[in-house]
Amino acid sequence: RGYLDNITAIGPRTVGSPENEVLAVNYLLEQIRGIERESTDAHKISVDIQRPTGSFSIDFLGGFTSYYANITNVVVKLEPRNGAEHAVLSNCHFDSVPNTPGASDDAVSCAVMLEILNTLSKSSESLQHAVIFLFNGAEENILQASHGFITQHEWAKSIRAFINLEAAGVGGKELVFQTGPENPWLVQAYVVAAKHPFASVVAQEIFQSGIIPADTDFRIYRDFGNVPGIDLAFIENGYIYHTEYDTSDRILTDSIQRAGDNILAVLKYLATSEKLAKSFEYRHGNVVFFDILGLFVLAYPARVGTIMNYITSAIAFFYLSKKVLQPKPRAVHNLKKLLTAFSLTLTSWVCTLVAVLTVAMFVSFIGRALSWYTHFYVSVSLYGTAAAAKLILVHVLAKRFFYKNVSEQYLGDVFFDASLMIWSIALAVMTQMGLCSAFICTLWVAFPLLTKLMIHKEFSQKGATIKFIVMYMLGMFVPYLYMLYLSWTVFEMFTPVMGRSGSEIPPDMVLAGFIVIFTMILSSYFINFIYLVKSTKTTLVTLTTVFVVTLILVCSGIFFPYSSDAANPKPKRVFLQHTSRRFHDLDGNVVKSDSGIWINGFDYNGISHITPHVPEINDTIRTPCEEQAPFCGLPWILPVHFMFRFVKNWYLPAPEILPRSPIQFKLLSKKLMPWNPVRLSFEVSGPSHMSLYVRPRAGSALSRWSLGDGMPGASLGGDYFVFYSRGLQAAPWHFWVELTAPEEHSDGIVSLAIAAHYFFGEDQKSPQLYALLERFPNWTFSSGWSCTYDLFVF
């Protein structure tokens, strides 16, 4: 707790700032030296300050190239007194995003690592392998410091596995959401060692699908270091992640203790494991893993899971076949009845999905999106009741008009079989696709089938008695309990993400889709009860009433999306950049210039809720796109343009800004290379963060450059994006680009723009930006900085 409080007391730790490069580094070194003085003779501690320079390309956020210079890593190696050939890496980052204290992301992880280093160093028990603690100083700049370490540091060669400590929320449990690639022994190490396990292969497959717009150092160690690892992150209260509210007092001591217990135990296990030295022998194979209510983790090889899944689905299909063939003369009739029930169940799901998404679309259209953001119960009252009511209604209509004279007992039986058939098919398909998450389908086939076999006699002789219902509920307890636990985890992660997912995707459609999916899953083995009970009128009326009342209240605007509650804030995120732009022609003359405050709301609602507080931010100042310029002539800090519509960002005219440390951009040389490409060489000096945008002119093509692996990769939309950052005392940035060009290129061969971002210091905020930020309501997190943008044609 003390380490955490002291790190966050430094303030925002943006890469390149004195807070990050000097104060945080000095604090870490002071603590590490204190730990070293008190360590036992069983260990040797080595400390290194690394300041790497490098470049790489990454396909995150649509793809871009990253360049870093003189950023900072603090690296500590704890090893046996006689040294060690192999090592396990523990990684955290002490930098933060601008304007935030970064307590959970990621100061708390660095605090935990300091305490683990302290604990291990005082132990009289010698380790078998080294433990390398990397306090990296440039993760928020899209994973730069980890790249500098794993590709350039001499200790990196000894690393056989890593644990990466991250955050997607503020406190709570730390979730294992990525492992591997392959190397099942790592999951087994976590299963054996972790005292308070919380892990899910479902989270891993969701995260690696790219649905969540985030990435971690795990990718760098995996892709550039070829090292397997475990990725952990705090996921609770993601509403204040990357905001000014991410303060140390919001992280409970229990969360810190829990994380420390887990990570210390796993690191100690790995550092004394024979498998670490021979990890290459155990590298093949994937693992199915999931925790049971946080009590323990079940983990088994994916190949075993595949066999179990196929056996389970085969038994289910055998059971269904036997049911269809009894008696044989009625086999065709029975099959038709089963397929009809199967089709009706799927139809009810499709109708439910369409109906609920229509409601979500309507709510979004009338400007009431995110009404549930602060009040999650609203989403359940609105979309959950609509889903349940629609599902019941379809089957009530089918029962009344399609199954008019059919036995209720027979219908209950056949619709149970239809649900079992759906889950069995889903199990076989997901297993065939190689998805480890197929274990969920196994639960939804095995337990219901066992339950059905156990209560078949009771049901066939007496129908839906109280005893039957009790036994049925008990048999379904395990899959339902696990699904409710999993759904809590999913909504805990995804709901806050909707407040920072850009203006392109209607969040109500996404959340409504999730609610419908969980409604379909949870109702799948209760559809048969719609046919067993005499009437569902009361249930339908109740659900419909709740839905209608909630919809009226949502349409009235009574549920305000955001909250400034001091104990539990859920702010709206807004980014403001006071920008001065200059557009140059081929001769270097300024042909257009303007200045304004460029405003982006990070959610679907845009600025509609802010306009009443700041009337000049309205629909009359929509941001125009400069078609001739890359990325529409706008100073994107990262290539996230695809997440935002131009109808949902604003450009408020403002006076020109004149930074005290302006950018210096020079064309050093123009050279005709063999095979006729043209090489343009540049030198740039400027602030710690800059963005370079490149667009070849018509007929030209960008063939090579001195960045990344030398082969340019375009971002979404076809332009090229380079993200630059530096620490202190970095040399000017030199780079070159090569273009193939047609013989006639009177209007130039390339448009090249450079944006300079001032995230700290005296140039960060102009008086006009300060004044505007002060007027924003207290339920917003408004992050502002100044920047310049210059477009050139060569």
Side-chain angles (χ1 to χ4, degrees):
R1 168 65 71 180
Y3 292 141
L4 172 61
D5 290 341
N6 291 333
I7 294 171
T8 53
I10 294 169
R13 301 170 302 283
T14 310
V15 173
S17 68
E19 290 80 4
N20 192 68
E21 309 301 325
V22 178
L23 298 180
V25 170
N26 287 346
Y27 175 77
L28 290 170
L29 289 175
E30 180 185 341
Q31 303 311 308
I32 292 163
R33 287 178 184 130
I35 292 169
E36 185 178 6
R37 284 192 295 270
E38 297 179 11
S39 65
T40 65
D41 293 336
H43 310 284
K44 181 171 67 174
I45 295 179
S46 307
V47 185
D48 184 49
I49 305 298
Q50 184 201 22
R51 290 197 165 87
T53 295
S55 182
F56 62 97
S57 294
I58 189 169
D59 60 4
F60 179 54
L61 295 177
F64 65 98
T65 298
S66 183
Y67 185 95
Y68 54 90
N70 222 43
I71 56 176
T72 306
N73 282 323
V74 178
V75 197
V76 185
K77 180 159 70 170
L78 177 75
E79 59 185 331
R81 180 57 62 182
N82 297 325
E85 182 183 353
H86 308 286
V88 58
L89 170 71
S90 182
N91 176 78
C92 72
H93 67 90
F94 58 85
D95 67 311
S96 69
V97 294
N99 304 314
T100 68
S104 70
D105 190 21
D106 194 31
V108 66
S109 297
C110 292
V112 166
M113 276 174 44
L114 282 171
E115 187 58 37
I116 290 172
L117 173 61
N118 184 38
T119 303
L120 289 176
S121 69
K122 288 180 178 177
S123 171
S124 57
E125 182 184 348
S126 180
L127 301 173
Q128 185 176 340
H129 310 293
V131 180
I132 295 174
F133 297 87
L134 173 59
F135 301 88
N136 95 51
E139 188 273 349
E140 297 296 357
N141 283 13
I142 315 300
L143 323 177
Q144 291 177 334
S146 55
H147 182 269
F149 172 78
I150 204 67
T151 59
Q152 299 177 40
H153 201 282
E154 59 178 341
W155 294 347
K157 300 181 185 69
S158 65
I159 294 170
R160 301 292 172 263
F162 69 88
I163 297 178
N164 183 49
L165 314 181
E166 257 298 347
V170 178
K173 298 179 179 181
E174 76 290 350
L175 171 68
V176 173
F177 65 99
Q178 281 192 104
T179 65
E182 297 193 282
N183 287 273
W185 66 277
L186 269 175
V187 176
Q188 293 295 345
Y190 177 83
V191 170
V192 171
K195 294 185 178 182
H196 317 284
F198 185 37
S200 175
V201 74
V202 178
Q204 173 172 291
E205 291 182 340
I206 289 174
F207 188 83
Q208 293 181 349
S209 71
I211 293 174
I212 300 176
D215 219 330
T216 74
D217 288 321
F218 181 98
R219 170 200 279 259
I220 299 297
Y221 299 132
R222 179 195 66 196
D223 294 354
F224 293 94
N226 197 28
V227 182
I230 299 173
D231 214 358
L232 302 100
F234 293 102
I235 63 167
E236 191 173 286
N237 198 6
Y239 298 98
I240 57 177
Y241 164 78
H242 279 189
T243 73
E244 63 188 340
Y245 301 106
D246 183 10
T247 52
S248 61
D249 59 294
R250 296 184 187 276
I251 302 176
L252 298 178
T253 302
D254 287 350
S255 292
I256 304 172
Q257 185 66 52
R258 174 199 159 87
D261 287 346
N262 281 342
I263 296 155
L264 172 61
V266 176
L267 277 176
K268 199 169 182 180
Y269 183 92
L270 291 173
T272 55
S273 169
E274 295 288 343
K275 289 185 177 181
L276 187 78
K278 303 174 182 177
S279 59
F280 63 92
E281 294 180 12
Y282 307 97
R283 68 184 182 276
H284 291 303
N286 288 312
V287 183
V288 179
F289 61 92
F290 53 96
D291 72 283
I292 306 299
L293 306 180
L295 301 175
F296 61 92
V297 172
L298 283 180
Y300 49 87
R303 62 181 182 278
V304 173
T306 299
I307 295 168
M308 287 170 51
N309 294 348
Y310 281 133
I311 289 174
T312 304
S313 58
I315 292 171
F317 284 124
F318 176 75
Y319 162 82
L320 291 169
S321 301
K322 196 173 178 183
K323 286 286 295 288
V324 167
L325 293 171
Q326 284 183 345
K328 278 188 179 180
R330 292 181 60 83
V332 174
H333 173 77
N334 291 341
L335 181 61
K336 282 182 178 178
K337 290 293 184 184
L338 177 61
L339 290 177
T340 301
F342 175 85
S343 301
L344 262 172
T345 302
L346 291 182
T347 301
S348 69
W349 287 358
V350 172
C351 290
T352 300
L353 183 63
V354 170
V356 176
L357 288 182
T358 301
V359 174
M361 191 181 301
F362 169 74
V363 169
S364 301
F365 179 76
I366 64 171
R368 299 301 181 193
L370 292 169
S371 296
W372 38 264
Y373 191 65
T374 293
H375 324 276
F376 183 74
Y377 63 87
V378 174
S379 66
V380 179
S381 299
L382 183 63
Y383 302 125
T385 56
K390 184 66 178 180
L391 199 65
I392 293 170
L393 180 62
V394 171
H395 288 284
V396 166
L397 294 174
K399 179 181 177 181
R400 181 172 297 178
F401 298 109
F402 191 75
Y403 292 115
K404 218 168 189 178
N405 300 311
V406 183
S407 158
E408 291 173 347
Q409 192 170 334
Y410 174 80
L411 289 175
D413 197 44
V414 78
F415 272 93
F416 176 93
D417 292 345
S419 294
L420 182 66
M421 185 176 174
I422 290 171
W423 279 110
S424 300
I425 292 171
L427 174 59
V429 170
M430 288 180 70
T431 304
Q432 181 63 34
M433 292 170 65
L435 295 174
C436 293
S437 301
F439 79 88
I440 295 172
C441 299
T442 302
L443 295 177
W444 285 94
V445 172
F447 281 91
L449 182 55
L450 283 170
T451 302
K452 183 68 183 294
L453 294 173
M454 288 170 60
I455 62 176
H456 175 69
K457 188 176 180 181
E458 171 77 17
F459 182 66
S460 59
Q461 291 178 356
K462 301 178 183 178
T465 61
I466 297 295
K467 182 181 176 182
F468 162 79
I469 294 171
V470 171
M471 291 177 68
Y472 191 90
M473 294 293 189
L474 287 173
M476 296 293 183
F477 180 74
V478 171
Y480 272 88
L481 180 65
Y482 183 76
M483 186 52 64
L484 288 170
Y485 175 66
L486 181 64
S487 63
W488 167 82
T489 305
V490 169
F491 285 116
E492 182 84 24
M493 289 177 64
F494 269 95
T495 307
V497 170
M498 294 295 98
R500 58 179 191 267
S501 57
S503 63
E504 283 293 294
I505 303 169
D508 278 64
M509 303 271 293
V510 176
L511 192 72
F514 273 122
I515 289 174
V516 169
I517 289 168
F518 279 107
T519 302
M520 292 189 303
I521 292 171
L522 294 171
S523 68
S524 55
Y525 285 107
F526 281 95
I527 288 173
N528 50 328
F529 279 89
I530 298 172
Y531 295 89
L532 288 172
V533 298
K534 295 194 181 301
S535 173
T536 56
K537 185 177 180 181
T538 303
T539 304
L540 265 177
V541 169
T542 303
L543 288 170
T544 304
T545 302
V546 173
F547 164 71
V548 171
V549 170
T550 306
L551 182 61
I552 291 170
L553 292 174
V554 167
C555 292
S556 72
I558 196 170
F559 298 115
F560 191 69
Y562 315 106
S563 169
S564 60
D565 178 19
N568 191 22
K570 293 178 180 175
K572 176 182 178 62
R573 298 161 191 260
V574 187
F575 288 79
L576 301 93
Q577 296 169 239
H578 191 167
T579 305
S580 285
R581 301 191 298 175
R582 294 180 298 181
F583 299 82
H584 302 76
D585 64 14
L586 191 57
D587 299 319
N589 301 313
V590 176
V591 293
K592 180 182 177 182
S593 64
D594 61 32
S595 294
I597 297 175
W598 184 42
I599 304 164
N600 278 288
F602 252 53
D603 63 45
Y604 190 77
N605 284 330
I607 307 291
S608 57
H609 294 89
I610 292 175
T611 300
H613 300 268
V614 190
E616 59 265 40
I617 302 176
N618 55 56
D619 289 346
T620 64
I621 57 165
R622 301 281 191 189
T623 308
C625 176
E626 301 290 342
E627 299 288 351
Q628 83 282 5
F631 293 92
C632 281
L634 294 167
W636 296 102
I637 180 64
L638 288 167
V640 292
H641 53 291
F642 61 93
M643 295 171 60
F644 299 88
R645 292 183 292 176
F646 281 103
V647 296
K648 288 203 174 178
N649 55 59
W650 291 259
Y651 196 67
L652 180 67
E656 181 182 4
I657 57 169
L658 299 169
R660 295 169 180 83
S661 306
I663 194 169
Q664 302 292 327
F665 186 83
K666 300 175 186 175
L667 172 65
L668 297 180
S669 65
K670 176 180 176 182
K671 185 177 179 183
L672 190 64
M673 306 298 290
W675 309 105
N676 291 327
V678 177
R679 175 179 289 188
L680 304 174
S681 298
F682 299 94
E683 178 184 283
V684 188
S685 297
S688 63
H689 292 71
M690 294 184 283
S691 306
L692 176 73
Y693 323 91
V694 183
R695 176 186 290 178
R697 308 281 277 190
S700 301
L702 183 60
S703 56
R704 293 176 63 228
W705 58 10
S706 59
L707 306 167
D709 61 3
M711 300 304 295
S715 294
L716 285 177
D719 295 331
Y720 298 84
F721 189 102
V722 182
F723 176 75
Y724 168 93
S725 79
R726 62 163 176 81
L728 299 176
Q729 299 174 339
W733 179 24
H734 290 90
F735 68 92
W736 52 260
V737 297
E738 284 187 7
L739 299 108
T740 56
E743 290 185 13
E744 293 294 327
H745 48 263
S746 57
D747 61 345
I749 61 174
V750 63
S751 294
L752 192 148
I754 187 91
H757 303 272
Y758 298 88
F759 281 125
F760 54 86
E762 56 188 5
D763 287 329
Q764 181 185 3
K765 294 176 183 175
S766 65
Q768 293 79 15
L769 182 55
Y770 263 120
L772 185 62
L773 289 169
E774 286 295 315
R775 296 172 59 195
F776 271 65
N778 59 2
W779 42 261
T780 62
F781 167 64
S782 46
S783 182
W785 68 94
S786 296
C787 58
T788 61
Y789 176 97
D790 286 276
L791 174 72
F792 302 93
V793 180
F794 298 98

